[in-house]
Amino acid sequence: MERNKALELLKKYNKDPFHIRHGLTVEGTMRWFARELGYGDEEGFWGNVGLLHDLDFELYPEEHCVKCQEMLKSEGLDDKFIRAVACHGWGMTKTQFQPEHQMEKVLFACDELTGLIGAAALMRPSKSTKDMELKSLKKKFKDKKFAAGCNRDVIAQGATNLGWELDELLQKTLTAMQSFEDQLNAEAGA
């Protein structure tokens, strides 16, 4: 699937600017990880999975990661793509897919984390990730009242699934988000 078609599909089922921005954020993060981890030839695939990972969430929150399977199949997407999108809800939704491929594990690990980092950035005077350091991110991570909707257990489990220390996941995801923040703001509106 071409990136423009994936973006059209996201906007077809998601109208809330927050959900569209989140999709774009996870897309950028997944593209960065694809390059960083040696999957540069799959960057488009990783990015589109990130872009569409919450395709069903706005309209079907109770069927999240299940309804999207039907939606993506009706768009002609293959089982590999559908599985990759659906597996990020493992243990939190009714999806039957557990993250196995490196890309699936990265999506599982960074989905919630991008939300936490985005919320932390909004609390900064700069409203930016660019001047955020790991130390301040870790402080926000430890504060369970901050961005309470971001599941820290899932983030920690994601790091474990990848064989990384939590700090490594936090730093890499922060670095990823810093790398495309200007592009994100231009596309999603600051």
Side-chain angles (χ1 to χ4, degrees), residues 73-113:
K73 192 152 223 52
S74 74
E75 294 291 332
L77 288 152
D78 65 23
D79 290 342
K80 178 182 175 186
F81 189 92
I82 293 167
R83 177 198 158 72
V85 168
C87 75
H88 82 277
W90 176 254
M92 299 172 288
T93 69
K94 294 178 183 173
T95 186
Q96 73 271 28
F97 299 119
Q98 182 174 358
E100 293 173 0
H101 181 276
Q102 181 84 346
M103 185 269 310
E104 296 169 348
K105 291 177 182 180
V106 169
L107 178 61
F108 180 86
C110 75
D111 177 30
E112 295 284 314
L113 182 52

Side-chain angles (χ1 to χ4, degrees), residues 88-158:
H88 82 277
W90 176 254
M92 299 172 288
T93 69
K94 294 178 183 173
T95 186
Q96 73 271 28
F97 299 119
Q98 182 174 358
E100 293 173 0
H101 181 276
Q102 181 84 346
M103 185 269 310
E104 296 169 348
K105 291 177 182 180
V106 169
L107 178 61
F108 180 86
C110 75
D111 177 30
E112 295 284 314
L113 182 52
T114 60
L116 181 75
I117 293 170
L122 291 175
M123 299 302 293
R124 303 180 66 74
S126 66
K127 306 277 190 235
S128 175
T129 62
K130 289 184 176 185
D131 60 353
M132 188 184 302
E133 296 179 0
L134 179 60
K135 181 179 174 182
S136 62
L137 176 56
K138 286 173 64 173
K139 187 175 178 181
K140 294 295 188 190
F141 183 86
K142 290 176 184 173
D143 180 358
K144 303 267 195 248
K145 292 179 183 173
F146 177 78
C150 294
N151 190 325
R152 274 93 167 146
D153 293 337
V154 168
I155 296 168
Q157 181 62 50

